[in-house]
Amino acid sequence: MSMIRDLRDAVRPRPSLRKDGGSYDTTRDPSTPSAVVDCAVYRDGARIESREPLSPHEAMRQVQRDGGFVWIGLHEPTEAEFAGIASEFGLHPLAVEDAVQAHQRPKLERYDDSLFTVFKTIHYLEHDQLTPTSEVVETGEVMCFTGRDFFITVRHGGHGSLRALRHRLQDDPELLAKGPSAVLHAIADHVVDGYIAVADAVQDDIDEVETQVFSPGRKGTPRGRDAGQIYQLKREVLEFKRAVSPLLRPMQLLSERPMRLIDPDIQKYFRDVADHLARVQEQVLGFDELLNSILQANLAQASVAQNEDMRKITSWAAIIAVPTMVCGVYGMNFDYMPELRWKFGYPLVLGVTVGICLTIHRMLKRNGWL
């Protein structure tokens, strides 16, 4: 089975993964102060097992002696914890600073002997009902140092574990034999696949909000609730866009520009990642424009509702003005006023007042004011 035919399958979830609890479990032990969650040497696509966990220094010495490459995974290391690894592998100080501090923009930076890549991971937060305070997406970061004989991942955030991905790669020795560039592609593809899944979930939320805004006869719905939902969803889409848009250029560079640290057989597959990323970017931009339209429609509906209320208030004020005027006239203390002493004066005034009010009410109702 060729590497080219199986490359996409290798970085996709499979029905069955290793569940034997092997030595390459990347779950960080809470009782262990070290930020290193896994450190392993790979040679000819296979993991070199050892009785005791390898330190980065021991792994690098083993690679220099016997060949292969080392893959080190870290989770939220401190500056002190990362200093030794940075010195061991000759990482650039600027890249090290970015990896430790996190909150970086997705990017690709080339140094003399390594590539530094930043990915923003997106995790969709499940919720029963979207509210004006709902969090829809949560972001994390994965920083990757790619060298000739090493690959280092620094992960920030409580999600986005690479354990399953490492397992799948280890189950495909032919792919893993391509070296660190194969791991970089697998992580890029894994991250972008996460974007696609989140985009589909966000689309469902937008459809729900759109249905609520344009559903007729929603009596008893508090005004402003839809606007709050739309605004909150728009903020979450903006966070999504900040993760997706800056990453497109790095993926294009990895797919189009020859790089000595990227295997030529792997490089062509970055085009597939860039294509998927471009599609997600178009979706996210479409989400933003659609939410703008929905928000404007919601505000227009609120304005129309306010105008309808004002017309009703004005109509009833006009009707009430008739008896107010009549009562005001006959309430004046003059001795000589028409029909004051007439027996039928009172019922006549009442009848005329009611007749005028009913006529005004009918006219206003016919014109849609009531």
Side-chain angles (χ1 to χ4, degrees), residues 6-119:
D6 296 338
L7 183 59
R8 292 291 299 174
D9 293 337
V11 295
R12 291 289 193 274
R14 296 180 180 177
S16 61
L17 298 175
R18 286 186 55 176
K19 299 181 181 179
D20 54 5
S23 59
Y24 52 84
D25 187 357
T26 59
T27 303
R28 185 175 181 178
D29 185 357
S31 64
T32 304
S34 174
V36 178
V37 293
D38 198 9
C39 178
V41 174
Y42 296 88
R43 190 177 305 118
D44 297 327
R47 179 178 177 128
I48 307 301
E49 300 292 346
S50 60
R51 294 182 179 179
E52 299 293 335
L54 289 175
S55 70
H57 177 77
E58 293 170 341
M60 194 59 189
R61 296 289 80 79
Q62 196 175 95
V63 167
Q64 291 173 345
R65 184 180 64 250
D66 302 324
F69 74 95
V70 57
W71 181 358
I72 303 174
L74 302 98
H75 181 242
E76 298 183 352
T78 64
E79 185 175 353
E81 288 174 323
F82 199 44
I85 295 176
S87 176
E88 177 71 32
F89 293 93
L91 305 180
H92 196 279
L94 293 177
V96 171
E97 181 181 0
D98 289 346
V100 171
Q101 294 183 357
H103 304 294
Q104 302 298 317
R105 189 173 184 266
K107 59 184 177 180
L108 170 66
E109 294 180 347
R110 289 175 291 179
Y111 298 100
D112 294 337
D113 299 319
S114 65
L115 292 175
F116 177 61
T117 315
V118 177
F119 298 96

Side-chain angles (χ1 to χ4, degrees), residues 223 301-315 368-370:
R223 289 182 184 171
Q301 288 179 339
S303 178
V304 169
Q306 290 177 351
N307 290 338
E308 290 179 353
D309 291 343
M310 289 303 299
R311 286 194 301 180
K312 290 179 180 180
I313 294 173
T314 303
S315 299
W369 283 53
L370 286 175

Side-chain angles (χ1 to χ4, degrees), residues 315-316 318-324 326 350-364 370:
S315 299
W316 286 111
I319 294 173
I320 295 174
V322 175
T324 301
V326 174
L350 287 180
V352 171
T353 301
V354 172
I356 295 175
C357 289
L358 291 176
T359 302
I360 295 175
H361 183 275
R362 184 177 181 182
M363 292 174 58
L364 292 173
L370 286 175

Side-chain angles (χ1 to χ4, degrees), residues 14-254:
R14 296 180 180 177
S16 61
L17 298 175
R18 286 186 55 176
K19 299 181 181 179
D20 54 5
S23 59
Y24 52 84
D25 187 357
T26 59
T27 303
R28 185 175 181 178
D29 185 357
S31 64
T32 304
S34 174
V36 178
V37 293
D38 198 9
C39 178
V41 174
Y42 296 88
R43 190 177 305 118
D44 297 327
R47 179 178 177 128
I48 307 301
E49 300 292 346
S50 60
R51 294 182 179 179
E52 299 293 335
L54 289 175
S55 70
H57 177 77
E58 293 170 341
M60 194 59 189
R61 296 289 80 79
Q62 196 175 95
V63 167
Q64 291 173 345
R65 184 180 64 250
D66 302 324
F69 74 95
V70 57
W71 181 358
I72 303 174
L74 302 98
H75 181 242
E76 298 183 352
T78 64
E79 185 175 353
E81 288 174 323
F82 199 44
I85 295 176
S87 176
E88 177 71 32
F89 293 93
L91 305 180
H92 196 279
L94 293 177
V96 171
E97 181 181 0
D98 289 346
V100 171
Q101 294 183 357
H103 304 294
Q104 302 298 317
R105 189 173 184 266
K107 59 184 177 180
L108 170 66
E109 294 180 347
R110 289 175 291 179
Y111 298 100
D112 294 337
D113 299 319
S114 65
L115 292 175
F116 177 61
T117 315
V118 177
F119 298 96
K120 281 254 187 207
T121 59
I122 299 292
H123 176 67
Y124 181 79
L125 300 176
E126 297 290 344
H127 47 267
D128 296 331
Q129 184 177 7
L130 188 65
T131 67
T133 58
S134 294
E135 290 189 13
V136 178
V137 297
E138 182 181 17
T139 61
E141 293 175 60
V142 176
M143 285 87 160
C144 302
F145 293 88
T146 308
R148 183 180 59 83
D149 51 9
F150 67 86
F151 190 83
I152 302 172
T153 57
V154 180
R155 185 167 59 88
H156 291 267
H159 60 86
S161 173
L162 301 176
R163 176 175 58 182
L165 178 63
R166 187 187 285 257
H167 289 185
R168 290 195 295 273
L169 285 173
Q170 290 176 165
D171 288 338
D172 192 343
E174 188 177 356
L175 173 61
L176 201 55
K178 293 296 181 179
S181 60
V183 182
L184 179 61
H185 168 267
I187 290 178
D189 195 60
H190 174 73
V191 170
V192 173
D193 283 347
Y195 293 166
I196 295 174
V198 172
D200 292 339
V202 172
Q203 178 70 67
D204 293 339
D205 284 335
I206 294 177
D207 291 342
E208 179 183 347
V209 168
E210 187 176 19
T211 301
Q212 290 178 357
V213 169
F214 293 103
S215 293
R218 295 182 304 129
K219 295 183 179 180
T221 301
R223 289 182 184 171
R225 191 192 71 175
D226 290 338
Q229 292 177 348
I230 298 168
Y231 184 72
Q232 178 65 16
L233 193 55
K234 187 172 174 59
R235 289 187 62 183
E236 300 297 320
V237 168
L238 179 61
E239 189 73 20
F240 196 0
K241 183 165 67 173
R242 287 172 181 165
V244 173
S245 296
L247 187 59
L248 185 58
R249 181 57 180 165
M251 291 300 100
Q252 291 173 341
L253 289 175
L254 287 171

